[in-house]
Amino acid sequence: MAQWDKLRQLSVNYTQQLHELYDRDGLPMDVRHYLAAWIEKQEWQRAARDNDLAMVLFQVLLENLDIQHSRFVQEESFLQQHNIRRYKQNFQRYQDEPCALANTILWFLEKEKEILNSASLAEQVQSLHVEQEAMETSCQQDLERKMAGLRNDVQCLEHAMICLEEQQDEFDFKYQTHKMEAVVDEALKKEQIKVLQLLVNRLNECRKSTLSDLSKLLDRAEDLINLLVKKELVEWQRRQQKSCIGAPDNVCLDQLEKWFTCMAVCLFQVREFLNKMEELVEKVSYGNDPIKAQKPGLHRKTDSLLKALLKSSFVVETQPSMPQGKGPLVLRTNVQFSVKTRLLVKFLELNHTMKVDVSMDREAPLTKGYRRFNVLGTKTKALNMAESQSGGMVADFRHLTLKEQKSGGGGKGVSDISLSVTEELHIIYFTTVFELKGFSVELQASSLPVTIISNSSQQQSAWASVLWFNMLSQDPKDIRFFANTPAAPWPQFAEMLSWQFLSATKRGLNDAQLEMIAVKLFGKQQNYNSCKVAWSKFCKENGPDTFWVWFDGILMMVKTYLEDIWREGLIMGFVSKGKEKFLLKKMKRGTFLLRFSESVIGGITFSWVEINSIGEPDIKTVQPFTKVDLSQIPFHEIIRNYQILEADNVPENPLLYLYPNTPKDEAFGKFYSEKSGDDSPYIKYIKTKLMFVSKETRTGSSSSTVIAGSLSP
């Protein structure tokens, strides 16, 4: 199949590249289309070096255009007649340099082959069932298209630089020849000077055109860098903040690395073009030379763009965390932690050459009692590709520790604001130097603010600070955030709470569960969107009854002992006593539900429906089970074996149907131990803890009764 026919059958992504390729006047797409068969049969590579062959092909090209024009005349295609006539006129400029035309057509044909090769490789990858990345957003697709356009522009400029150098060499050769010949004949001399003037005029126009293209390319590059740095990178940083507190956001850097590297490669090529222009000017220059006038400004702009790009390309890919910590960004003195930095501009020649240094609190605030720390361990590492699964340029610090500096007391300018240890925020800094092809710039990255504790009892409140900061702060360097702590709007707060369960157990909170929490915090409301939670209500150090202590106690219990049945949706969990009674009183006898205790930290209980002597529902509740019980017997075995003894009746399990009407064994059966009765590994606990005596005094009225445990004989 002809090359042009293959190109026309490509998918949209690749036909877009084809349109971008022919979005210029070097070779109109119409000419390529109508003369496709003839163009692909000619020896353009030889013609680019052989002037005689190039002239023959030039003449045949014009004849083919005439034939095509006549065909359109017969078809009465007025617009196409006009276009073909205009194309022929434009090609006339190659009359004196047919090799340049051959070289131009050859360049287009080579670029076509590159597009075909890319499409072929993509098909091979797909045939191997390689997992594809998630569908890009329309914004990312637009950015990708602009990146492809920029790469194309750089390639076209590379071709233009070759043509510019060839034109200059031609002029220089004829000018030097003219000087050496010392022509006496005035008429001949004038004719030669006239030819030389035409050549220098054409050279001047070519220089102006190339400089104009360079300027336009830098404008497009500036727009793309702004899009990358001020939008894509900022959005990634916000996603990373949220992912640190449990959000299921994508924080992969591979796509950003691809874009940043593409921009850096293009800008370094522009620097090479400008350096080449400097060489050309040293060989040939003249009055009002546009290169001398414009090159310094273009060079400054190129370096400025490259500097801005590189300074933003050094990031913390994995935030500081301890191996056994509650979450990232909570560090403990004298306990090892790890952190990973990454350079989003990937050049193979920089592998293992850029050293990264770690330091602490360069801009520590003047706050009363603010602690300062030294970083210990391996504080210098080289950026390399070996420590990254994706082949990125990373420095992975795995053995760092913090040691508190001896206090020097407060000095002049120290604020009276005093923060608790877990409200004190610190930043870890990373510095390196980028040096390549004569360009050097110092780079700095910083971690998100960390809280630093000295003992494990502070972990809970430290993690609360991390949650609050990364939920609300839009400034990732605001270490004075807790000096004037903002309240959390309910929608953001509810989302953050759900993330805690989602990240710990793979199942978040549903609307009904969140509503119960909202009622607990604000009371019954029509709408909670305008409600706000104060930091002091959420968590204040040394406050034993804060919301966070209660919520985190439940979370830890679920993660440690109840994850399987929570993930299956068997625990209603967050439901008030009033709502529980409302739900159960309409249900049949033996219907039960599981809820978290509102009074016992880290407790879970269940309530069920009994029918009293006058036929009315009677809601009974067992005292909460805590980690003391759950560490001895799984909760599903408690539900399976729970029995109640009333008067002289035979003991029976009152739990029959999980709300609303799922048979107990159907709901929990797959979690049961294979052994039961006296063979159960939990028999000792069952005989001493799961036999209960009701202390209810039957009065004939419906009530909610707590069943107290009593050891059976």
Side-chain angles (χ1 to χ4, degrees):
M1 185 185 295
Q3 182 168 305
W4 186 249
D5 292 333
K6 291 180 181 177
L7 288 163
R8 292 171 62 196
Q9 294 179 13
L10 293 178
S11 64
V12 175
N13 289 340
Y14 296 100
T15 55
Q16 179 65 37
Q17 292 182 33
L18 189 64
H19 283 296
E20 290 169 356
L21 174 64
Y22 280 98
D23 190 18
R24 57 196 82 247
D25 294 330
L27 178 61
M29 184 177 275
D30 287 0
V31 174
R32 177 67 178 95
H33 176 72
Y34 292 115
L35 304 185
W38 178 79
I39 287 175
E40 291 177 27
K41 290 178 181 177
Q42 309 313 311
E43 297 182 76
W44 297 108
Q45 191 165 9
R46 186 161 69 90
R49 303 188 304 270
D50 187 335
N51 192 73
D52 292 338
L53 176 60
M55 181 57 72
V56 170
L57 294 180
F58 170 72
Q59 295 295 341
V60 175
L61 174 64
L62 298 184
E63 291 172 8
N64 281 327
L65 290 175
D66 286 336
I67 294 170
Q68 196 63 44
H69 181 269
S70 299
R71 185 174 301 152
F72 289 136
V73 170
Q74 293 175 2
E75 296 174 357
E76 297 183 354
S77 179
F78 178 75
L79 184 61
Q80 292 290 13
Q81 292 175 46
H82 169 79
N83 288 341
I84 291 294
R85 187 164 56 247
R86 179 165 60 86
Y87 298 150
K88 182 180 178 182
Q89 291 172 353
N90 290 341
F91 281 127
Q92 296 291 347
R93 69 179 186 271
Y94 293 108
Q95 179 75 43
D96 297 329
E97 45 184 15
C99 289
L101 173 63
N103 201 39
T104 297
I105 294 176
L106 176 64
W107 183 82
F108 274 91
L109 292 174
E110 291 299 321
K111 292 302 171 187
E112 288 179 2
K113 289 178 182 177
E114 290 179 12
I115 294 173
L116 284 173
N117 289 338
S118 296
S120 175
L121 180 60
E123 287 179 2
Q124 292 175 30
V125 170
Q126 190 172 9
S127 67
L128 292 172
H129 304 289
V130 175
E131 185 176 346
Q132 299 296 307
E133 293 182 356
M135 183 64 68
E136 297 171 325
T137 64
S138 59
C139 180
Q140 289 175 325
Q141 289 174 340
D142 182 57
L143 184 55
E144 190 68 45
R145 182 182 61 79
K146 289 178 179 177
M147 285 286 179
L150 185 71
R151 288 193 295 268
N152 232 7
D153 290 341
V154 171
Q155 290 172 346
C156 290
L157 264 172
E158 186 176 13
H159 177 67
M161 290 296 299
I162 294 172
C163 293
L164 177 62
E165 186 174 18
E166 289 176 349
Q167 283 194 11
Q168 178 167 310
D169 288 345
E170 180 186 5
F171 166 78
D172 191 38
F173 174 76
K174 291 185 178 180
Y175 177 69
Q176 297 299 334
T177 303
H178 169 74
K179 285 171 60 178
M180 291 173 61
E181 286 179 346
V183 177
V184 178
D185 187 322
E186 286 298 321
L188 180 59
K189 187 175 182 180
K190 286 182 179 180
E191 183 62 29
Q192 287 182 345
I193 292 174
K194 183 179 178 181
V195 170
L196 289 172
Q197 187 61 51
L198 288 173
L199 287 174
V200 79
N201 288 345
R202 191 169 66 180
L203 177 62
N204 189 59
E205 289 302 314
C206 190
R207 284 185 173 185
K208 285 182 178 180
S209 175
T210 304
L211 288 165
S212 175
D213 289 344
L214 264 174
S215 180
K216 292 175 183 176
L217 185 147
L218 289 176
D219 288 341
R220 286 192 289 274
E222 185 174 19
D223 290 341
L224 277 171
I225 289 173
N226 284 333
L227 197 58
L228 276 180
V229 173
K230 296 179 180 179
K231 183 178 183 297
E232 295 295 333
L233 184 60
V234 169
E235 288 179 357
W236 173 82
Q237 289 170 335
R238 183 57 188 151
R239 290 198 303 273
Q240 188 190 46
Q241 261 193 288
K242 294 193 295 181
S243 72
C244 283
I245 57 173
D249 286 14
N250 178 17
V251 292
C252 178
L253 282 168
D254 292 351
Q255 183 62 67
L256 271 177
E257 179 187 76
K258 177 183 174 184
W259 288 334
F260 268 79
T261 302
C262 172
M263 288 301 310
V265 168
C266 289
L267 289 173
F268 270 109
Q269 285 183 277
V270 170
R271 291 184 91 246
E272 291 176 6
F273 296 155
L274 292 169
N275 290 337
K276 184 64 180 179
M277 283 186 168
E278 183 68 30
E279 294 177 12
L280 294 177
V281 168
E282 289 176 359
K283 293 179 181 178
V284 174
S285 189
Y286 44 84
N288 298 320
D289 189 337
I291 293 181
K292 284 187 174 181
Q294 298 180 42
K295 191 190 82 68
L298 292 173
H299 216 304
R300 284 194 299 272
K301 184 170 184 178
T302 303
D303 285 357
S304 175
L305 291 176
L306 191 52
K307 184 178 180 180
L309 180 75
L310 291 171
K311 277 183 169 291
S312 299
S313 69
F314 188 40
V315 298
V316 177
E317 180 178 20
T318 305
Q319 293 293 330
S321 64
M322 299 186 297
Q324 303 301 321
K326 199 169 181 65
L329 305 174
V330 176
L331 305 181
R332 183 177 170 183
T333 52
N334 302 316
V335 174
Q336 284 191 349
F337 68 93
S338 61
V339 59
K340 183 190 294 185
T341 60
R342 181 166 176 173
L343 183 66
L344 298 178
V345 173
K346 187 166 84 171
F347 287 96
L348 296 178
E349 53 265 50
L350 294 179
N351 193 22
H352 290 285
T353 65
M354 293 175 62
K355 305 295 182 182
V356 180
D357 295 315
V358 188
S359 61
M360 278 288 290
D361 291 328
R362 291 188 168 193
E363 302 164 10
L366 296 174
T367 301
K368 185 178 179 180
Y370 189 85
R371 300 167 300 158
R372 285 165 175 76
F373 297 88
N374 293 323
V375 183
L376 306 178
T378 307
K379 296 190 293 183
T380 301
K381 290 202 71 174
L383 286 165
N384 66 90
M385 300 179 190
E387 294 181 314
S388 171
Q389 291 182 348
S390 62
M393 292 278 287
V394 304
D396 192 357
F397 296 88
R398 299 182 184 180
H399 306 291
L400 298 176
T401 56
L402 298 176
K403 183 176 182 180
E404 186 175 353
Q405 298 178 7
K406 292 183 178 179
S407 175
K412 186 177 180 181
V414 172
S415 168
D416 288 335
I417 296 173
S418 181
L419 301 175
S420 70
V421 167
T422 55
E423 291 175 328
E424 201 179 88
L425 301 178
H426 299 262
I427 292 178
I428 303 174
Y429 291 90
F430 306 86
T431 55
T432 187
V433 177
F434 180 98
E435 289 182 319
L436 184 68
K437 299 178 181 179
F439 187 86
S440 178
V441 60
E442 184 174 326
L443 310 181
Q444 177 182 286
S446 57
S447 72
L448 289 169
V450 300
T451 58
I452 303 174
I453 60 177
S454 55
N455 61 71
S456 58
S457 65
Q458 298 168 318
Q459 278 221 34
Q460 189 177 56
S461 55
W463 181 240
S465 297
V466 170
L467 293 176
W468 207 260
F469 178 89
N470 291 290
M471 171 177 55
L472 297 177
S473 178
Q474 298 297 317
D475 179 2
K477 293 187 178 180
D478 183 12
I479 56 178
R480 290 178 57 84
F481 176 80
F482 286 103
N484 185 22
T485 316
W490 168 251
Q492 277 182 270
F493 185 76
E495 187 177 45
M496 180 274 288
L497 294 181
S498 184
W499 290 341
Q500 303 317 295
F501 271 84
L502 182 64
S503 60
T505 69
K506 306 298 185 290
R507 184 186 181 93
L509 303 179
N510 60 33
D511 290 342
Q513 291 164 334
L514 289 170
E515 184 181 6
M516 177 270 173
I517 296 172
V519 172
K520 181 179 178 68
L521 289 168
F522 312 114
K524 188 65 178 176
Q525 307 275 342
Q526 283 292 107
N527 189 297
Y528 298 96
N529 288 342
S530 60
C531 295
K532 292 187 176 182
V533 183
W535 166 241
S536 58
K537 189 169 186 177
F538 176 67
C539 175
K540 195 66 175 172
E541 195 175 33
N542 300 323
D545 299 321
T546 62
F547 172 87
W548 173 242
V549 171
W550 171 75
F551 184 88
D552 190 51
I554 292 171
L555 179 62
M556 290 301 98
M557 173 184 63
V558 171
K559 181 179 180 181
T560 307
Y561 303 109
L562 308 173
E563 184 173 348
D564 289 342
I565 61 175
W566 168 264
R567 195 181 300 158
E568 290 288 322
L570 304 178
I571 301 175
M572 187 174 292
F574 293 101
V575 55
S576 66
K577 293 179 181 178
K579 182 68 176 289
E580 173 191 66
K581 184 176 180 180
F582 174 77
L583 294 174
L584 289 178
K585 70 180 182 180
K586 300 177 182 179
M587 298 293 110
K588 58 189 174 182
R589 178 182 177 276
T591 303
F592 68 100
L593 59 76
L594 314 179
R595 68 174 177 85
F596 302 130
S597 173
E598 295 183 68
S599 57
V600 177
I601 302 300
I604 186 169
T605 184
F606 47 77
S607 299
W608 68 93
V609 181
E610 288 283 4
I611 303 299
N612 64 20
S613 59
I614 60 173
E616 292 182 347
D618 186 9
I619 311 304
K620 296 187 177 182
T621 303
V622 72
Q623 289 181 342
F625 297 92
T626 64
K627 65 179 181 181
V628 174
D629 307 298
L630 301 176
S631 62
Q632 298 183 62
I633 180 171
F635 193 52
H636 54 263
E637 292 295 333
I638 292 178
I639 294 169
R640 178 188 187 186
N641 295 288
Y642 185 80
Q643 292 183 329
I644 188 166
L645 182 66
E646 294 187 12
D648 296 324
N649 294 339
V650 176
E652 65 175 73
N653 191 324
L655 312 179
L656 304 178
Y657 306 98
L658 180 66
Y659 180 88
N661 57 5
T662 306
K664 176 186 64 178
D665 291 341
E666 181 181 322
F668 296 94
K670 67 178 181 180
F671 302 109
Y672 290 166
S673 167
E674 292 182 1
K675 297 179 180 180
S676 61
D678 290 339
D679 294 328
S680 172
Y682 312 111
I683 188 63
K684 181 178 179 181
Y685 184 92
I686 291 169
K687 285 186 175 181
T688 58
K689 297 289 187 180
L690 297 185
M691 292 289 289
F692 290 86
V693 177
S694 171
K695 292 186 178 180
E696 176 190 9
T697 301
R698 296 189 178 275
T699 62
S701 61
S702 175
S703 64
S704 179
T705 306
V706 176
I707 305 301
S710 177
L711 298 185
S712 64

